[in-house]
Amino acid sequence: LSKIERRRSTPSIAVALKVARALEVDVAQLFSDQSGDEKVAIDRAGDRRDLGSERYVALAPTVLGKSMSPFIVRPAGTVDEPSPVPAGQEFVFVHTGTVEVDYGDHTITLDAGDSAYFDASVSHNVRSVGKVEAEVLAVWVGTGNDPDGGYRR
């Protein structure tokens, strides 16, 4: 946690969701200095801070208690260490570049404009492939009724 606080490490979305649940805060609060209880959140591309070396930007961070957690993600070109997988559903839309989605025993290639919708409880990982850095919109929705806190190992 100390590396994350000092911005020396960026957690995976799965780890961020678990930390947010443990702290009883909205996951977007871990990725933003903004706070509030907005009913409508507008994220303008020109106002969004540059990702720089960060891999995730939470969208709509001022709306607390969201049913879904949307992120802009720049996947790494390598596979992350295995982490707890949140129970729920995930939607990934490739905005730029090409990604490979390792989903269970399958590897699926998605190009700009492609999307995938899947059961997030199945082990999965998204990585950037190709010459253009990939950027994806990832939206996670939890089941909300999982006795183990929404996470599977």
Side-chain angles (χ1 to χ4, degrees), residues 43-90:
D43 287 299
R44 304 244 183 239
D47 296 340
R48 192 174 305 124
R49 64 184 168 83
D50 182 30
L51 283 174
S53 64
E54 293 184 37
R55 294 179 44 207
Y56 307 99
V57 170
L59 299 175
T62 58
V63 178
L64 304 181
K66 294 184 287 294
S67 298
M68 55 184 166
S69 298
F71 293 88
I72 293 176
V73 181
R74 287 191 183 155
T78 58
V79 175
D80 289 333
E81 290 290 320
S83 60
V85 178
Q89 299 174 346
E90 191 166 334

Short mmCIF file of all heavy atoms in Angstrom, two decimals, residues 43-90:
data_model
loop_
_atom_site.label_atom_id
_atom_site.label_comp_id
_atom_site.label_asym_id
_atom_site.label_seq_id
_atom_site.Cartn_x
_atom_site.Cartn_y
_atom_site.Cartn_z
N ASP A 43 -16.82 13.85 -17.68
CA ASP A 43 -15.36 13.75 -17.78
C ASP A 43 -14.97 14.22 -19.18
O ASP A 43 -15.18 13.50 -20.15
CB ASP A 43 -14.89 12.30 -17.57
CG ASP A 43 -14.99 11.86 -16.13
OD1 ASP A 43 -14.32 12.48 -15.30
OD2 ASP A 43 -15.74 10.91 -15.86
N ARG A 44 -14.41 15.40 -19.27
CA ARG A 44 -13.98 15.94 -20.55
C ARG A 44 -12.54 15.51 -20.81
O ARG A 44 -11.68 15.60 -19.94
CB ARG A 44 -14.08 17.45 -20.56
CG ARG A 44 -15.48 17.95 -20.21
CD ARG A 44 -16.09 18.68 -21.38
NE ARG A 44 -17.39 19.21 -20.97
CZ ARG A 44 -18.51 18.88 -21.58
NH1 ARG A 44 -18.49 18.03 -22.57
NH2 ARG A 44 -19.65 19.39 -21.20
N ALA A 45 -12.30 15.04 -22.02
CA ALA A 45 -10.96 14.57 -22.38
C ALA A 45 -9.92 15.66 -22.15
O ALA A 45 -8.83 15.39 -21.66
CB ALA A 45 -10.94 14.11 -23.83
N GLY A 46 -10.24 16.90 -22.47
CA GLY A 46 -9.30 18.01 -22.32
C GLY A 46 -9.00 18.35 -20.87
O GLY A 46 -7.95 18.92 -20.56
N ASP A 47 -9.90 18.00 -19.96
CA ASP A 47 -9.71 18.28 -18.54
C ASP A 47 -9.02 17.14 -17.81
O ASP A 47 -8.51 17.32 -16.71
CB ASP A 47 -11.06 18.54 -17.85
CG ASP A 47 -11.74 19.77 -18.39
OD1 ASP A 47 -11.06 20.63 -18.98
OD2 ASP A 47 -12.97 19.87 -18.22
N ARG A 48 -9.02 15.96 -18.40
CA ARG A 48 -8.46 14.79 -17.75
C ARG A 48 -6.95 14.91 -17.70
O ARG A 48 -6.31 15.27 -18.68
CB ARG A 48 -8.86 13.54 -18.53
CG ARG A 48 -8.60 12.25 -17.80
CD ARG A 48 -9.15 11.05 -18.57
NE ARG A 48 -10.57 11.21 -18.86
CZ ARG A 48 -11.08 11.14 -20.08
NH1 ARG A 48 -10.34 10.92 -21.12
NH2 ARG A 48 -12.38 11.30 -20.26
N ARG A 49 -6.39 14.60 -16.56
CA ARG A 49 -4.94 14.67 -16.44
C ARG A 49 -4.31 13.59 -17.31
O ARG A 49 -4.89 12.54 -17.55
CB ARG A 49 -4.49 14.52 -15.00
CG ARG A 49 -4.83 13.20 -14.37
CD ARG A 49 -4.43 13.19 -12.89
NE ARG A 49 -4.99 12.06 -12.21
CZ ARG A 49 -4.44 10.85 -12.21
NH1 ARG A 49 -3.32 10.65 -12.83
NH2 ARG A 49 -5.02 9.86 -11.58
N ASP A 50 -3.13 13.88 -17.81
CA ASP A 50 -2.41 12.93 -18.63
C ASP A 50 -2.08 11.70 -17.80
O ASP A 50 -1.67 11.81 -16.65
CB ASP A 50 -1.13 13.58 -19.15
CG ASP A 50 -0.33 12.66 -20.06
OD1 ASP A 50 -0.94 11.82 -20.74
OD2 ASP A 50 0.91 12.80 -20.09
N LEU A 51 -2.24 10.54 -18.38
CA LEU A 51 -1.95 9.30 -17.66
C LEU A 51 -0.47 9.19 -17.30
O LEU A 51 -0.13 8.59 -16.29
CB LEU A 51 -2.34 8.08 -18.50
CG LEU A 51 -3.81 7.74 -18.59
CD1 LEU A 51 -4.03 6.61 -19.58
CD2 LEU A 51 -4.37 7.36 -17.24
N GLY A 52 0.39 9.77 -18.14
CA GLY A 52 1.82 9.62 -17.88
C GLY A 52 2.17 8.15 -17.79
O GLY A 52 1.85 7.38 -18.68
N SER A 53 2.79 7.74 -16.70
CA SER A 53 3.15 6.33 -16.54
C SER A 53 2.04 5.53 -15.84
O SER A 53 2.15 4.33 -15.69
CB SER A 53 4.45 6.20 -15.75
OG SER A 53 4.25 6.70 -14.45
N GLU A 54 0.97 6.21 -15.43
CA GLU A 54 -0.12 5.51 -14.76
C GLU A 54 -0.91 4.69 -15.77
O GLU A 54 -1.08 5.08 -16.91
CB GLU A 54 -1.04 6.49 -14.04
CG GLU A 54 -0.34 7.17 -12.88
CD GLU A 54 -1.28 8.07 -12.10
OE1 GLU A 54 -2.45 7.70 -11.95
OE2 GLU A 54 -0.82 9.13 -11.67
N ARG A 55 -1.40 3.55 -15.33
CA ARG A 55 -2.12 2.65 -16.22
C ARG A 55 -3.63 2.84 -16.16
O ARG A 55 -4.34 2.39 -17.04
CB ARG A 55 -1.76 1.21 -15.89
CG ARG A 55 -0.30 0.91 -16.20
CD ARG A 55 0.10 -0.50 -15.86
NE ARG A 55 -0.89 -1.48 -16.28
CZ ARG A 55 -1.05 -2.65 -15.68
NH1 ARG A 55 -0.30 -3.00 -14.67
NH2 ARG A 55 -1.96 -3.49 -16.10
N TYR A 56 -4.16 3.44 -15.08
CA TYR A 56 -5.60 3.53 -14.89
C TYR A 56 -6.02 4.96 -14.58
O TYR A 56 -5.35 5.65 -13.83
CB TYR A 56 -6.06 2.67 -13.71
CG TYR A 56 -5.62 1.25 -13.78
CD1 TYR A 56 -4.52 0.81 -13.06
CD2 TYR A 56 -6.30 0.34 -14.57
CE1 TYR A 56 -4.10 -0.51 -13.12
CE2 TYR A 56 -5.89 -0.98 -14.64
CZ TYR A 56 -4.80 -1.40 -13.91
OH TYR A 56 -4.39 -2.69 -13.98
N VAL A 57 -7.17 5.35 -15.12
CA VAL A 57 -7.84 6.58 -14.72
C VAL A 57 -9.29 6.22 -14.46
O VAL A 57 -9.97 5.69 -15.34
CB VAL A 57 -7.76 7.67 -15.81
CG1 VAL A 57 -8.66 8.85 -15.46
CG2 VAL A 57 -6.33 8.16 -16.00
N ALA A 58 -9.75 6.48 -13.25
CA ALA A 58 -11.15 6.22 -12.92
C ALA A 58 -12.01 7.30 -13.56
O ALA A 58 -11.66 8.48 -13.52
CB ALA A 58 -11.35 6.22 -11.41
N LEU A 59 -13.11 6.89 -14.16
CA LEU A 59 -14.06 7.84 -14.73
C LEU A 59 -15.18 8.08 -13.72
O LEU A 59 -15.50 7.20 -12.93
CB LEU A 59 -14.62 7.31 -16.05
CG LEU A 59 -13.57 7.08 -17.14
CD1 LEU A 59 -14.23 6.44 -18.36
CD2 LEU A 59 -12.89 8.38 -17.52
N ALA A 60 -15.74 9.26 -13.74
CA ALA A 60 -16.82 9.65 -12.84
C ALA A 60 -16.42 9.47 -11.37
O ALA A 60 -17.17 8.91 -10.58
CB ALA A 60 -18.10 8.88 -13.15
N PRO A 61 -15.24 9.96 -10.97
CA PRO A 61 -14.78 9.73 -9.60
C PRO A 61 -15.61 10.46 -8.54
O PRO A 61 -15.57 10.08 -7.38
CB PRO A 61 -13.34 10.24 -9.60
CG PRO A 61 -13.31 11.27 -10.69
CD PRO A 61 -14.26 10.75 -11.74
N THR A 62 -16.37 11.47 -8.94
CA THR A 62 -17.16 12.21 -7.95
C THR A 62 -18.51 11.58 -7.67
O THR A 62 -19.20 12.00 -6.75
CB THR A 62 -17.36 13.67 -8.39
OG1 THR A 62 -18.02 13.68 -9.66
CG2 THR A 62 -16.03 14.40 -8.50
N VAL A 63 -18.89 10.57 -8.45
CA VAL A 63 -20.14 9.86 -8.18
C VAL A 63 -19.81 8.69 -7.27
O VAL A 63 -19.14 7.74 -7.67
CB VAL A 63 -20.81 9.36 -9.49
CG1 VAL A 63 -22.07 8.58 -9.17
CG2 VAL A 63 -21.10 10.52 -10.42
N LEU A 64 -20.26 8.76 -6.04
CA LEU A 64 -19.95 7.73 -5.07
C LEU A 64 -21.04 6.67 -5.03
O LEU A 64 -22.20 6.94 -5.32
CB LEU A 64 -19.77 8.36 -3.69
CG LEU A 64 -18.71 9.46 -3.60
CD1 LEU A 64 -18.61 9.99 -2.18
CD2 LEU A 64 -17.36 8.96 -4.08
N GLY A 65 -20.67 5.45 -4.69
CA GLY A 65 -21.63 4.36 -4.59
C GLY A 65 -22.14 3.88 -5.93
O GLY A 65 -23.28 3.43 -6.03
N LYS A 66 -21.30 3.98 -6.97
CA LYS A 66 -21.72 3.57 -8.31
C LYS A 66 -21.98 2.06 -8.37
O LYS A 66 -21.35 1.29 -7.67
CB LYS A 66 -20.62 3.91 -9.33
CG LYS A 66 -20.38 5.38 -9.52
CD LYS A 66 -19.35 5.63 -10.61
CE LYS A 66 -17.94 5.31 -10.22
NZ LYS A 66 -17.37 6.12 -9.19
N SER A 67 -22.90 1.66 -9.25
CA SER A 67 -23.15 0.24 -9.49
C SER A 67 -22.09 -0.34 -10.42
O SER A 67 -21.84 -1.53 -10.40
CB SER A 67 -24.53 0.05 -10.15
OG SER A 67 -25.53 0.50 -9.29
N MET A 68 -21.49 0.50 -11.24
CA MET A 68 -20.43 0.05 -12.14
C MET A 68 -19.21 0.93 -11.94
O MET A 68 -19.32 2.06 -11.51
CB MET A 68 -20.89 0.06 -13.59
CG MET A 68 -21.41 1.37 -14.08
SD MET A 68 -22.01 1.16 -15.77
CE MET A 68 -22.91 2.68 -15.93
N SER A 69 -18.04 0.36 -12.24
CA SER A 69 -16.78 1.08 -12.07
C SER A 69 -16.09 1.21 -13.41
O SER A 69 -15.50 0.26 -13.91
CB SER A 69 -15.87 0.33 -11.09
OG SER A 69 -16.47 0.23 -9.83
N PRO A 70 -16.18 2.41 -14.04
CA PRO A 70 -15.56 2.60 -15.35
C PRO A 70 -14.14 3.17 -15.22
O PRO A 70 -13.88 4.04 -14.39
CB PRO A 70 -16.49 3.62 -16.02
CG PRO A 70 -17.03 4.43 -14.88
CD PRO A 70 -17.09 3.51 -13.69
N PHE A 71 -13.24 2.66 -16.06
CA PHE A 71 -11.85 3.09 -16.08
C PHE A 71 -11.36 3.23 -17.51
O PHE A 71 -11.77 2.47 -18.38
CB PHE A 71 -10.93 2.03 -15.43
CG PHE A 71 -11.14 1.84 -13.97
CD1 PHE A 71 -12.09 0.93 -13.51
CD2 PHE A 71 -10.40 2.55 -13.04
CE1 PHE A 71 -12.28 0.74 -12.16
CE2 PHE A 71 -10.58 2.35 -11.69
CZ PHE A 71 -11.53 1.45 -11.24
N ILE A 72 -10.44 4.17 -17.73
CA ILE A 72 -9.63 4.16 -18.93
C ILE A 72 -8.35 3.43 -18.53
O ILE A 72 -7.74 3.76 -17.50
CB ILE A 72 -9.31 5.58 -19.43
CG1 ILE A 72 -10.59 6.25 -19.91
CG2 ILE A 72 -8.27 5.52 -20.55
CD1 ILE A 72 -10.41 7.69 -20.33
N VAL A 73 -7.98 2.44 -19.31
CA VAL A 73 -6.83 1.60 -18.97
C VAL A 73 -5.85 1.59 -20.13
O VAL A 73 -6.26 1.48 -21.29
CB VAL A 73 -7.29 0.15 -18.68
CG1 VAL A 73 -6.10 -0.72 -18.29
CG2 VAL A 73 -8.36 0.12 -17.60
N ARG A 74 -4.58 1.73 -19.80
CA ARG A 74 -3.50 1.49 -20.76
C ARG A 74 -2.82 0.19 -20.33
O ARG A 74 -1.94 0.22 -19.46
CB ARG A 74 -2.51 2.64 -20.77
CG ARG A 74 -3.03 3.87 -21.43
CD ARG A 74 -1.92 4.86 -21.64
NE ARG A 74 -2.43 6.08 -22.21
CZ ARG A 74 -1.87 7.25 -22.08
NH1 ARG A 74 -0.75 7.37 -21.40
NH2 ARG A 74 -2.38 8.32 -22.64
N PRO A 75 -3.22 -0.93 -20.91
CA PRO A 75 -2.66 -2.21 -20.48
C PRO A 75 -1.16 -2.28 -20.74
O PRO A 75 -0.67 -1.75 -21.74
CB PRO A 75 -3.39 -3.24 -21.33
CG PRO A 75 -4.53 -2.53 -21.96
CD PRO A 75 -4.18 -1.09 -21.99
N ALA A 76 -0.46 -2.94 -19.85
CA ALA A 76 0.97 -3.18 -20.04
C ALA A 76 1.14 -4.19 -21.16
O ALA A 76 0.21 -4.89 -21.54
CB ALA A 76 1.58 -3.70 -18.74
N GLY A 77 2.37 -4.28 -21.67
CA GLY A 77 2.66 -5.24 -22.72
C GLY A 77 3.00 -6.61 -22.18
O GLY A 77 3.25 -7.54 -22.94
N THR A 78 3.00 -6.74 -20.86
CA THR A 78 3.29 -8.03 -20.23
C THR A 78 2.11 -8.42 -19.35
O THR A 78 1.29 -7.58 -18.99
CB THR A 78 4.55 -7.93 -19.35
OG1 THR A 78 4.36 -6.92 -18.36
CG2 THR A 78 5.78 -7.60 -20.19
N VAL A 79 2.08 -9.67 -18.98
CA VAL A 79 1.00 -10.16 -18.13
C VAL A 79 1.33 -9.83 -16.68
O VAL A 79 2.44 -10.07 -16.21
CB VAL A 79 0.82 -11.69 -18.31
CG1 VAL A 79 -0.21 -12.22 -17.35
CG2 VAL A 79 0.45 -12.00 -19.74
N ASP A 80 0.36 -9.25 -15.97
CA ASP A 80 0.52 -8.94 -14.55
C ASP A 80 0.57 -10.22 -13.73
O ASP A 80 0.15 -11.28 -14.17
CB ASP A 80 -0.66 -8.10 -14.04
CG ASP A 80 -0.65 -6.68 -14.60
OD1 ASP A 80 0.45 -6.20 -14.92
OD2 ASP A 80 -1.73 -6.09 -14.70
N GLU A 81 1.06 -10.07 -12.51
CA GLU A 81 1.03 -11.18 -11.55
C GLU A 81 -0.43 -11.56 -11.32
O GLU A 81 -1.31 -10.70 -11.33
CB GLU A 81 1.63 -10.74 -10.22
CG GLU A 81 3.13 -10.53 -10.28
CD GLU A 81 3.88 -11.84 -10.44
OE1 GLU A 81 3.50 -12.84 -9.80
OE2 GLU A 81 4.84 -11.86 -11.22
N PRO A 82 -0.72 -12.83 -11.08
CA PRO A 82 -2.10 -13.22 -10.78
C PRO A 82 -2.59 -12.47 -9.54
O PRO A 82 -1.84 -12.27 -8.60
CB PRO A 82 -2.01 -14.71 -10.51
CG PRO A 82 -0.72 -15.15 -11.11
CD PRO A 82 0.19 -13.96 -11.09
N SER A 83 -3.82 -12.05 -9.58
CA SER A 83 -4.40 -11.35 -8.43
C SER A 83 -5.82 -11.85 -8.24
O SER A 83 -6.38 -12.48 -9.13
CB SER A 83 -4.38 -9.84 -8.67
OG SER A 83 -5.12 -9.52 -9.83
N PRO A 84 -6.42 -11.55 -7.09
CA PRO A 84 -7.82 -11.95 -6.89
C PRO A 84 -8.68 -11.40 -8.02
O PRO A 84 -8.47 -10.29 -8.48
CB PRO A 84 -8.19 -11.31 -5.56
CG PRO A 84 -6.89 -11.06 -4.88
CD PRO A 84 -5.90 -10.79 -5.97
N VAL A 85 -9.61 -12.20 -8.46
CA VAL A 85 -10.48 -11.80 -9.57
C VAL A 85 -11.83 -11.41 -9.00
O VAL A 85 -12.45 -12.19 -8.28
CB VAL A 85 -10.63 -12.97 -10.57
CG1 VAL A 85 -11.55 -12.59 -11.70
CG2 VAL A 85 -9.27 -13.38 -11.10
N PRO A 86 -12.31 -10.19 -9.29
CA PRO A 86 -13.59 -9.77 -8.75
C PRO A 86 -14.74 -10.53 -9.38
O PRO A 86 -14.77 -10.73 -10.59
CB PRO A 86 -13.67 -8.28 -9.09
CG PRO A 86 -12.76 -8.12 -10.25
CD PRO A 86 -11.69 -9.17 -10.14
N ALA A 87 -15.66 -10.99 -8.55
CA ALA A 87 -16.87 -11.62 -9.07
C ALA A 87 -17.73 -10.52 -9.68
O ALA A 87 -17.82 -9.43 -9.14
CB ALA A 87 -17.63 -12.32 -7.94
N GLY A 88 -18.29 -10.79 -10.79
CA GLY A 88 -19.12 -9.80 -11.46
C GLY A 88 -18.97 -9.93 -12.96
O GLY A 88 -18.61 -10.98 -13.48
N GLN A 89 -19.23 -8.84 -13.65
CA GLN A 89 -19.13 -8.81 -15.09
C GLN A 89 -18.22 -7.66 -15.50
O GLN A 89 -18.13 -6.65 -14.80
CB GLN A 89 -20.52 -8.62 -15.71
CG GLN A 89 -21.46 -9.74 -15.35
CD GLN A 89 -22.87 -9.48 -15.82
OE1 GLN A 89 -23.23 -8.38 -16.20
NE2 GLN A 89 -23.70 -10.51 -15.78
N GLU A 90 -17.55 -7.83 -16.64
CA GLU A 90 -16.65 -6.80 -17.12
C GLU A 90 -16.89 -6.58 -18.61
O GLU A 90 -17.14 -7.53 -19.35
CB GLU A 90 -15.20 -7.19 -16.86
CG GLU A 90 -14.22 -6.06 -17.09
CD GLU A 90 -12.85 -6.36 -16.52
OE1 GLU A 90 -12.74 -7.16 -15.57
OE2 GLU A 90 -11.87 -5.80 -17.03
#
